[in-house]
């Protein structure tokens, strides 16, 4: 079962809140100390490669705020287009009417170039490749990622605050391994 919003075209212009977790929520990216994230070498690369996303995309991909945490990345990805406004106010134009994949060729159901899935897959691949080349063979990501389509400016501002405060609230974060069984 897909975690994606049913019927939504993830290559369409819009603002997307993304969370990408490491495999088994291993803390590869550093540690939180006194409410600040202190990045490990892998965390530094994860941050640098996140900043580079828009340079490596075939479509107009923008980035808003993000944070590299101990075992996950939170960020806002903007797929630019004629209907993108602050928080993508008019989302009706972005909804795909195609919801069935029965008897379609793989190319028609595979992630489209410039789509959110391709952006995340490319990012994850680049970080993983760097880790393996630089002798971090145990690094890996969870197979999927979490996304939320940002539909209005209030939601956008709330998500920005959540991302900014993530290191300060790490002790209570659901991605903190100490809290996984709470």
């Amino acid at each position: 079962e897909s975690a994606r919003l049913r019927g939504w075209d993830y290559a369409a212009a819009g603002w997307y809140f993304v969370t990408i977790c490491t495999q088994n929520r291993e803390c590869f990216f550093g540690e939180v100390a006194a409410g600040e994230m202190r990045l490990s070498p892998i965390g530094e690369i994860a941050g640098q490669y996140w900043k580079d996303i828009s340079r490596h995309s075939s479509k107009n991909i923008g980035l808003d705020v993000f944070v590299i945490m101990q075992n996950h990345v939170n960020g806002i990805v903007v797929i630019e287009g004629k209907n993108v406004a602050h928080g993508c106010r008019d989302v009706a134009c972005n909804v795909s009417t195609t919801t069935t994949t029965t008897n379609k060729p793989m190319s028609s159901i595979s992630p489209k170039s410039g789509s959110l899935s391709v952006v995340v897959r490319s990012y994850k691949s680049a970080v993983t490749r760097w880790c393996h080349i630089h002798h971090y063979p145990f690094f890996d990501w969870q197979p999927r990622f979490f996304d939320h389509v940002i539909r209005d400016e209030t939601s956008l501002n709330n998500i920005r605050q959540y991302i900014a405060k993530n290191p300060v609230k790490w002790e209570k974060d659901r991605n903190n391994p100490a809290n996984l069984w709470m």
Side-chain angles (χ1 to χ4, degrees), residues 17 20 28 32 45 60 75 84 93 112 114 125-127 139 159 162:
F17 171 51
I20 311 168
F28 288 109
V32 175
I45 289 302
N60 292 329
V84 174
C93 58
K112 307 294 183 266
S125 176
V127 173
F139 177 82
I159 292 166
Y162 171 81

Side-chain angles (χ1 to χ4, degrees), residues 76-90:
I76 297 174
V77 176
V78 183
I79 298 178
E80 298 174 356
K82 64 181 180 177
N83 297 316
V84 174
H86 295 284
C88 196
R89 290 186 187 105
D90 182 11

Side-chain angles (χ1 to χ4, degrees), residues 135-156:
H135 310 291
Y136 297 102
F138 300 110
F139 177 82
D140 206 359
W141 298 99
Q142 284 187 355
R144 297 183 179 195
F145 64 95
F146 169 82
D147 73 83
H148 172 79
V149 178
I150 301 172
R151 295 187 172 119
D152 59 46
E153 197 139 357
T154 300
S155 179
L156 174 63

Side-chain angles (χ1 to χ4, degrees), residues 23 26 61 66 88-89 97 120 133 160:
Q23 186 69 36
E26 292 267 346
I61 304 295
F66 76 98
C88 196
R89 290 186 187 105
T97 57
V120 171
I133 289 170
R160 283 175 173 158

Side-chain angles (χ1 to χ4, degrees), residues 76-126:
I76 297 174
V77 176
V78 183
I79 298 178
E80 298 174 356
K82 64 181 180 177
N83 297 316
V84 174
H86 295 284
C88 196
R89 290 186 187 105
D90 182 11
V91 296
C93 58
N94 297 330
V95 178
S96 170
T97 57
T98 305
T99 58
T100 180
T101 59
T102 308
N103 298 324
K104 291 189 176 188
M106 286 304 290
S107 62
S108 69
I109 61 173
S110 295
K112 307 294 183 266
S113 177
S115 69
L116 186 62
S117 292
V118 170
V119 169
V120 171
R121 182 177 62 202
S122 297
Y123 170 73
K124 289 166 70 172
S125 176

Side-chain angles (χ1 to χ4, degrees), residues 7-70:
W8 185 263
D9 178 1
Y10 280 89
W15 291 57
Y16 302 90
F17 171 51
V18 175
T19 300
I20 311 168
C21 295
T22 59
Q23 186 69 36
N24 300 320
R25 290 194 169 88
E26 292 267 346
C27 295
F28 288 109
F29 298 138
E31 64 183 14
V32 175
E36 290 186 22
M37 187 61 200
R38 298 208 174 118
L39 298 174
S40 69
I42 299 173
E44 292 283 345
I45 289 302
Q48 183 58 51
Y49 283 16
W50 185 267
K51 292 175 193 174
D52 289 345
I53 285 174
S54 56
R55 290 187 328 140
H56 298 289
S57 297
S58 61
K59 195 172 178 179
N60 292 329
I61 304 295
L63 300 172
D64 198 74
V65 298
F66 76 98
V67 66
I68 307 296
M69 292 298 296
Q70 288 178 314

